[in-house]
Amino acid sequence: GVVAMPFTYTPESVNGFILSGFDAPISDRRAFSPPELFDEITQQVGPYLLHETFPIGKRYDLEAYAGELKRSIRNRGEICLHLLSRRPTDVFAVVFTATDHVQHLFWRQMERGEGAAGDLVLATYREVDAMVARLLEAVGPDANVIVMSDHGAGLLERVFYLDQWLEDNGWLRRSGARRSARIRRASGLLKRML
């Protein structure tokens, strides 16, 4: 079984279940395999919260965003607990996106010790840790468990666009429409200004 794995929309029919990840445009029957699982989850657990912690525009109401983070983590965990108890599988995977989203928004504040915004990253990790503990209890001591991250985190100081550097230095030629010399010069000017 798979819950919230990125790039699983539209989910294929599998021997088990898939609840699509953040690439699903909306949480409805099309994001579930089998589709009727959507009805079961909605009726017995509640809505499948999919995009509530996505960071766009969220940093300005810190209290509301903190609530959305907790609600999303608990929702994802409760859905997993339901699935583990009702639909046993040989392999089960879940992705908690809240940690990724909150660190993208508030890593700088955390490093600087800037009050509630800085504390939100650690609070989110604690919330996920508590839910993982509940999931571990549900699967029992004989389960093989892997906990991983798709990337680390840290303060973002600069961005390096490898494809642009390769093109600028003659190592890459893009297929399709070629950029005019005027566009290349404008692009270079913008880079120097930024």
Side-chain angles (χ1 to χ4, degrees), residues 12 21 28 34 37 77 87 102 131 133 155-157 164 176 180 190:
E12 297 179 23
D28 65 11
L37 184 56
R87 296 175 178 255
V102 74
M131 187 52 70
L155 190 58
L156 183 62
E157 295 288 339
Q164 187 64 54
S180 70
L190 283 173

Side-chain angles (χ1 to χ4, degrees), residues 94-161:
V94 58
V95 177
F96 286 95
T97 53
T99 54
D100 178 85
H101 295 164
V102 74
Q103 68 192 17
H104 281 300
L105 275 180
F106 298 110
W107 191 270
R108 181 181 305 267
Q109 291 87 342
M110 183 190 69
E111 281 195 343
R112 294 179 179 167
E114 294 179 2
D119 295 341
L120 193 53
V121 176
L122 183 57
T124 301
Y125 273 90
R126 286 183 174 142
E127 192 76 29
V128 170
D129 284 348
M131 187 52 70
V132 169
R134 290 184 63 198
L135 293 172
L136 289 173
E137 185 178 319
V139 298
D142 295 330
N144 294 313
V145 177
I146 299 171
V147 177
M148 70 174 82
S149 174
D150 64 330
H151 62 80
L155 190 58
L156 183 62
E157 295 288 339
R158 309 174 15 175
V159 176
F160 178 70
Y161 296 99

Side-chain angles (χ1 to χ4, degrees), residues 172-185:
L172 172 69
R173 175 173 274 166
R174 298 179 189 271
S175 63
R178 298 174 104 185
R179 295 190 322 163
S180 70
R182 182 179 295 168
I183 292 173
R184 284 193 305 275
R185 282 194 303 276

Side-chain angles (χ1 to χ4, degrees), residues 30 33 97 113:
R30 293 169 292 181
S33 177
T97 53

